[in-house]
Amino acid sequence: MNTEILGIIVMFTATLALALPFGKYIARVYGGEKTLLDPVFNPIEKVCYKISGINNKKEMNWKEHMVALLTINLVWFLLGMLILMTQQWLPFNPDHNPNMSADLAFNTTISFVVNCNLQHYSGETGMSYLGQMWLMFLQFVSAGTGLAAAAILFKAFREKTTDQLGNFYDFLMKSCTRILLPLSLVVALILVFNGTPMTFEGKDQIVSLQGDTVNVSTGPAAGFIAIKHVGTNGGGFFGANAAHPFENPNYLTNMVVMFAQLIVPLAMIFAFGYFTGRKKFSRMIFGVMTVGFLLLTLPNINMEMNGNPAIAAMGIDDSSGATEGKEIRFGAAATGFWSIVTTVISTGSVNGMHDSTMPLSGMNELLAMMVNAFYGGCGVGLLNFFIFIILAVFISGLMVGRTPEFMGKKIEAREMKIAMIIALLHPFLILVGTALATAFPAQGASTLNNPGFHGFSEILYEYTSSAANNGSGFEGLGDNNLWWNITTGFVLILGRFLPIIGPIAIAGLLANKKYIPESNGTLKTDTATFGLMVFAVIAIIAALSFFPALTLGPIAEYFSM
């Protein structure tokens, strides 16, 4: 146990130390400054722009950015549907996996386009290698889309007054080539050298110790797994995700892929400070996010290490912790830590089964996705947090009797309406989806493998994961049917694009306003006091929105043990 704790501390500290210089590098990338990778990627980018006819030098306002974002995402969705519904007739299918049904292809394609990777299939039997490679491409561009959206936010708050916020395609391309690809290459090489397969051959056959002949799935897994973590996507090449020994062979790879999940979201916080020249403000954001992260993480590690009291009451030694659904090679502490990293950051990959964690651990995993603003996914974590900042600025302004101002711009009715709609959208999608699945048991609840409180938690988790674009699940739920594929598909769409459009619209509107120099009466937004205010807003909104649902699920389950 002590070794596991030491591994967690070393990994998180090392990630934080590297996030600072990496954040400075990201700021240089989006600022158009020279980087070491320019000679490698500039010629490739020029060819891509020439073939596509895109002018990456044309400045866009926030509306043009959003049109470009939605248009290219629609193209990726249509291509994905075509590939997944015809994969059995296409190349790179040595295992002869069948086509996906229309509803499953819809859910899968949407899920990867929106950076969620909610998987209602198992990769070994449900996806050809061509399908896996297309999903790997989507993992790059969906993460790049989130980073590009954050870059628009950066641009809006660096200029005093402007409606020219850079070029979406330029931000997208640089996000993929300068940030995601180099990191993914390093992670993939580490995985390959530790035993993760990277091949286009079909299943291998082995003879087990019992003498049975077993087909073992392989495939081009290392590249897929690297970007799924770096891009905070989370989809598994294999059904068991990062609990599978080919995806995550040992404790070293476990630490490496946890680093891969954390590095970009952490670096983006500091990149905002470097890009806008407001380093103290970015430190305030980091402080609030880290406090929220630790308040969820530390209890989970403790509860998973202490084991299940119901097991202990049977006279069974549980000194190794709550080991049900966990891999012994990682242990209870590292699995408990991962369970919050993956839900806070919206990666959604798992190295143990969340359905088997202790009830209050499951509650914390849900809370991490319900808040959806502590670190968050690539780029979108900052956008989500920005909404809470706007709400905190407005409330603080009312408390002191001044017109709310943020970074020299007045926050007026239009910005507040957008912020409130986006803040309430997340609980609306989660709670309405859960209510409908519970109200129509023949459609939703009939697929549960667990009755009672835990069954309700499984339903709540599925819609929470979808709305947060996370992708993990309480996998006691049989989710590959028409109801779950379609309902979660629409939650995925709304939960992805509206929370991007809202903050970018606010940023664009504020950027176009007249800049007001700071005075003695200006609310300081880079202080610990304001950070406490933001945290209070997050806690109040989460508590008021989700506490009743949590009492019906994990809290009730805890008291019934």
Side-chain angles (χ1 to χ4, degrees), residues 481-501:
N481 63 24
L482 190 64
W483 170 269
W484 290 110
N485 287 335
I486 299 300
T487 59
T488 57
F490 281 105
V491 170
L492 288 164
I493 295 169
L494 297 173
R496 166 68 165 185
F497 293 112
L498 292 181
I500 288 178
I501 294 170

Side-chain angles (χ1 to χ4, degrees), residues 434-455:
T434 303
L436 289 174
T438 308
F440 301 102
Q443 303 296 328
S446 64
T447 61
L448 296 174
N449 289 326
N450 293 283
F453 305 126
H454 192 76

Side-chain angles (χ1 to χ4, degrees), residues 7-329:
I8 292 169
I9 294 171
V10 169
M11 187 280 305
F12 186 73
T13 304
T15 306
L16 180 57
L18 291 172
L20 287 162
F22 193 52
K24 192 171 186 179
Y25 166 78
I26 291 173
R28 289 176 61 86
V29 168
Y30 291 139
E33 301 176 40
K34 288 185 178 180
T35 67
L36 291 174
L37 296 176
D38 287 349
V40 178
F41 290 112
N42 277 345
I44 299 172
E45 291 175 1
K46 288 178 181 177
V47 172
C48 292
Y49 290 132
K50 188 172 182 179
I51 293 172
S52 62
I54 292 172
N55 179 9
N56 69 310
K57 302 299 182 184
K58 178 183 179 295
E59 292 281 332
M60 297 178 176
N61 60 34
W62 74 266
K63 293 179 182 177
E64 291 170 323
H65 273 287
M66 293 300 97
V67 169
L69 184 152
L70 294 173
T71 300
I72 198 166
N73 274 266
L74 177 61
V75 172
W76 295 331
F77 166 71
L78 295 174
L79 286 172
M81 286 287 291
L82 178 64
I83 291 170
L84 298 189
M85 292 180 67
T86 61
Q87 63 178 359
Q88 76 178 54
W89 304 311
L90 298 176
F92 301 108
N93 190 14
D95 298 326
H96 308 291
N97 289 335
N99 297 333
M100 281 192 174
S101 64
D103 59 297
L104 180 57
F106 168 78
N107 184 276
T108 303
T109 306
I110 283 294
S111 184
F112 278 80
V113 165
V114 304
N115 197 242
C116 177
N117 300 14
L118 186 75
Q119 294 175 291
H120 292 175
Y121 68 93
S122 180
E124 294 93 329
T125 57
M127 191 69 66
S128 70
Y129 291 167
L130 180 63
Q132 297 277 31
M133 286 189 291
W134 176 253
L135 297 184
M136 182 170 67
F137 167 78
L138 291 180
Q139 291 185 117
F140 273 100
V141 295
S142 65
T145 297
L147 291 172
I152 301 166
L153 186 78
F154 288 12
K155 187 83 171 176
F157 289 108
R158 186 168 73 171
E159 309 297 336
K160 289 188 175 180
T161 301
T162 185
D163 64 349
Q164 302 299 297
L165 302 175
N167 183 281
F168 172 77
Y169 297 107
D170 184 54
F171 289 150
L172 173 62
M173 182 70 81
K174 286 181 176 176
S175 298
C176 293
T177 58
R178 305 304 203 282
I179 299 170
L180 300 172
L181 184 58
L183 279 174
S184 297
L185 181 61
V186 172
V187 173
L189 287 172
I190 294 172
L191 290 171
V192 166
F193 281 111
N194 280 273
T196 299
M198 189 67 190
T199 176
F200 286 97
E201 295 181 1
K203 288 180 169 64
D204 284 337
Q205 281 196 343
I206 65 168
V207 177
S208 70
L209 294 175
Q210 297 178 162
D212 299 328
T213 300
V214 180
N215 291 318
V216 179
S217 294
T218 57
F224 186 101
I225 295 160
I227 183 56
K228 92 170 190 179
H229 291 294
V230 172
T232 64
N233 298 276
F237 190 92
F238 303 103
N241 209 285
H244 195 290
F246 281 173
E247 283 212 17
N248 193 4
N250 52 50
Y251 198 82
L252 172 63
T253 59
N254 195 65
M255 291 179 67
V256 168
V257 294
M258 276 199 285
F259 161 83
Q261 293 178 63
L262 282 162
I263 185 64
V264 175
L266 286 175
M268 285 296 288
I269 301 169
F270 301 116
F272 181 84
Y274 286 119
F275 191 91
T276 61
R278 298 174 182 270
K279 298 176 187 177
K280 190 176 179 182
F281 181 75
S282 69
R283 289 196 293 270
M284 181 279 294
I285 294 175
F286 171 75
V288 174
M289 288 184 172
T290 302
V291 168
F293 172 71
L294 293 176
L295 287 175
L296 295 169
T297 302
L298 296 178
N300 261 41
I301 294 173
N302 181 62
M303 287 184 284
E304 297 307 310
M305 287 176 62
N306 286 336
N308 189 330
I311 299 294
M314 298 168 63
I316 299 173
D317 179 18
D318 66 345
S319 57
S320 296
T323 53
E324 180 194 325
K326 295 179 178 62
E327 294 294 303
I328 298 300
R329 66 185 187 278

